Amino acid sequence: MEEAETTHHDDNRHAEKMAKKKAAREKIMATKTDEKGLVVVHTGKGKGKSSAAFGMIFRHIAHGKRCAVVQFIKGAMSTGERDLIVRHFADLCEFHTMGEGFTWETQDRARDVATAHAAWEKAKDLIRDERNSMVLLDEINIALRYDYLDVNEVITFLKDEKPHMTHVVLTGRNAKEELIEIADLATEMELLKHPFRSGIKAQAGVEY
Amino acid sequence: MEEAETTHHDDNRHAEKMAKKKAAREKIMATKTDEKGLVVVHTGKGKGKSSAAFGMIFRHIAHGKRCAVVQFIKGAMSTGERDLIVRHFADLCEFHTMGEGFTWETQDRARDVATAHAAWEKAKDLIRDERNSMVLLDEINIALRYDYLDVNEVITFLKDEKPHMTHVVLTGRNAKEELIEIADLATEMELLKHPFRSGIKAQAGVEY
């Protein structure tokens, strides 16, 4: 009996606490009224930078909105999501794989610089095209980090030429501070634990 | 002429550095030979916990592997990915939405506890079914955090009953320490910047 009363008391306190939380949340949300295209950055050493960006691409597809992906570094990303998009949703999402592998794979700086510039030209065209609601620049941070591309050029373009309602998502570790500075939404994926440390290899459906 | 030589010199140094990086990476990767089903945790206050998990679900689908999703808290997740899966890939991915909204929406602890337990029973069935290569327990961390579900029960099941090759992904902020302890792969999504702070509301294709 006593236990039942305590539980009942706890449930009431819980309900009260949750009612407050709900009211507070609704009050905050009511102040959020603007819409605009966001500059989104996913960085950090953890997993999920590209996957979380692809999540947004898939949401766009689910809503029937047009989007596009430019992959700055080939092989950096899992091919799973790309295959799925190319096979099923090519009418809603354009896909351009411009890079030629991680920079330590190609070992040719001049070629990497040329590739990064070609990818950036394609990215600009896609962002300027207002039919696209979102453009994902996958692993562009790697090209920016090695100065294959000038971060100021990218920032100036995003500020001055990006259509107001277009979302641009930029992924890759070591995002430049200047880029995070101008982002509307920035997330750092931090690695807490990794299976490679226990000798587990990359597996289909997880890493690729 | 001098500039060209400097560039050439820089390019050589870059190639040398990258060759070392490539060799080091290949040496490390050669030691990673095991395969096993992983316990994966996505936590933190940042964006992308569920999206990155859905990325792995989409990779499974792209590889033609069976998987399943149990959604512990309805409305916590974007409906975009769910809609896409239910509409296009129902043959490869079972989807169960068990929760009834954030706990501050329902304001009924007893009902939340019952719902969490029903979701967990479904989750166990799906994990035991070895046809599933991956099972995503979306937002289970919220149910664990409020002790709707006992974390020790979940950990014991993952250790003793999860089939060796099955991947289980657990998402939601405030993951319990004990859960991170037993995870093979754990990532914390940290919020660096959020558009709500500038009065921007949730937008289709981004948040949902």
Side-chain angles (χ1 to χ4, degrees):
Chain A
M1 189 62 198
E2 202 186 325
E3 196 187 25
E5 265 173 18
T6 309
T7 304
H8 184 68
H9 179 68
D10 283 354
D11 283 357
N12 279 349
R13 277 190 48 195
H14 179 82
E16 209 174 281
K17 207 170 130 191
M18 290 300 142
K20 271 192 195 150
K21 196 158 182 169
K22 185 180 181 188
R25 197 180 153 83
E26 279 168 359
K27 196 171 160 190
I28 291 169
M29 296 314 286
T31 67
K32 315 303 175 194
T33 50
D34 277 6
E35 284 197 334
K36 72 164 192 169
L38 304 177
V39 173
V40 181
V41 174
H42 291 175
T43 193
K45 289 185 180 172
K47 306 273 294 176
K49 297 181 288 293
S50 290
S51 282
F54 271 90
M56 286 192 274
I57 289 290
F58 282 121
R59 281 176 222 163
H60 265 69
I61 292 170
H63 286 290
K65 288 168 181 270
R66 273 182 71 108
C67 48
V69 180
V70 179
Q71 198 180 356
F72 277 71
I73 312 284
K74 185 177 159 186
M77 201 197 53
S78 91
T79 52
E81 287 109 326
R82 181 182 62 191
D83 293 349
L84 209 65
I85 289 170
V86 170
R87 229 183 290 147
H88 295 274
F89 309 112
D91 53 327
L92 274 173
C93 185
E94 241 181 271
F95 210 108
H96 298 273
T97 302
M98 310 291 287
E100 305 194 48
F102 276 111
T103 188
W104 53 88
E105 295 289 341
T106 66
Q107 302 182 26
D108 182 339
R109 184 177 164 87
R111 202 173 69 184
D112 288 345
V113 169
T115 308
H117 279 266
W120 174 237
E121 287 307 314
K122 174 54 76 180
K124 285 192 286 187
D125 286 347
L126 292 166
I127 295 167
R128 283 188 188 114
D129 181 347
E130 299 201 21
R131 288 172 306 169
N132 290 319
S133 167
M134 175 176 278
V135 180
L136 164 56
L137 309 181
D138 195 54
E139 300 290 0
I140 189 175
N141 287 338
I142 294 181
L144 292 169
R145 186 215 177 166
Y146 287 107
D147 295 318
Y148 296 166
L149 262 187
D150 179 4
V151 69
N152 292 315
E153 191 185 327
V154 173
I155 286 171
T156 303
F157 178 84
L158 292 176
K159 277 181 168 172
D160 297 347
E161 292 193 56
K162 182 184 83 60
H164 184 65
M165 290 309 294
T166 306
H167 306 290
V168 177
V169 186
L170 307 97
T171 75
R173 52 171 73 188
N174 300 110
K176 295 239 171 177
E177 266 312 312
E178 304 94 300
L179 185 63
I180 292 173
E181 202 60 47
I182 65 134
D184 300 292
L185 171 58
T187 309
E188 171 139 353
M189 277 69 172
E190 198 191 329
L191 186 69
L192 300 178
K193 279 183 119 175
H194 199 291
F196 288 177
R197 290 191 191 152
S198 333
I200 307 295
K201 70 176 183 182
Q203 295 176 91
V206 181
E207 277 85 6
Y208 60 94
Chain B
M1 189 62 198
E2 203 186 323
E3 195 186 27
E5 266 173 20
T6 309
T7 304
H8 184 68
H9 179 69
D10 284 352
D11 283 357
N12 280 350
R13 277 190 48 195
H14 178 82
E16 210 174 280
K17 206 169 131 192
M18 290 300 142
K20 272 192 193 150
K21 195 158 183 169
K22 185 179 180 188
R25 195 179 154 84
E26 279 168 359
K27 197 171 159 189
I28 291 169
M29 295 315 284
T31 67
K32 314 304 174 193
T33 50
D34 278 5
E35 284 198 332
K36 73 164 191 167
L38 304 177
V39 173
V40 181
V41 174
H42 292 174
T43 192
K45 289 185 181 171
K47 306 275 294 176
K49 296 182 287 292
S50 290
S51 283
F54 271 90
M56 286 192 274
I57 289 289
F58 283 121
R59 281 176 222 164
H60 265 69
I61 292 170
H63 286 290
K65 289 169 180 267
R66 273 181 71 107
C67 48
V69 180
V70 180
Q71 197 180 357
F72 277 71
I73 311 283
K74 186 176 158 187
M77 200 198 53
S78 90
T79 54
E81 287 109 326
R82 181 182 64 191
D83 294 349
L84 209 65
I85 290 170
V86 170
R87 227 182 292 146
H88 295 274
F89 308 113
D91 55 325
L92 274 174
C93 186
E94 243 181 90
F95 210 108
H96 299 272
T97 303
M98 311 289 288
E100 306 192 48
F102 276 111
T103 188
W104 53 88
E105 295 289 341
T106 66
Q107 302 182 26
D108 181 339
R109 184 177 164 89
R111 202 174 71 186
D112 287 346
V113 169
T115 307
H117 280 264
W120 174 236
E121 288 306 313
K122 174 54 76 183
K124 285 193 286 187
D125 287 348
L126 292 165
I127 295 168
R128 283 190 189 113
D129 183 346
E130 300 202 20
R131 289 173 304 169
N132 290 319
S133 165
M134 174 176 278
V135 180
L136 165 56
L137 310 182
D138 195 54
E139 300 291 359
I140 189 174
N141 287 339
I142 294 182
L144 291 170
R145 186 215 177 165
Y146 286 108
D147 295 318
Y148 296 165
L149 262 186
D150 179 4
V151 69
N152 293 314
E153 192 186 326
V154 172
I155 286 172
T156 303
F157 178 84
L158 292 175
K159 277 182 169 170
D160 298 346
E161 293 193 55
K162 183 184 82 60
H164 184 66
M165 291 308 294
T166 306
H167 306 290
V168 177
V169 186
L170 307 96
T171 74
R173 53 171 74 188
N174 299 110
K176 295 237 170 179
E177 267 312 313
E178 304 95 299
L179 186 64
I180 292 172
E181 202 60 45
I182 65 136
D184 301 292
L185 172 58
T187 309
E188 171 139 354
M189 277 68 173
E190 198 191 330
L191 186 70
L192 299 179
K193 279 184 119 175
H194 199 291
F196 288 177
R197 290 192 190 150
S198 332
I200 307 296
K201 70 177 183 181
Q203 295 175 91
V206 181
E207 276 87 6
Y208 61 92

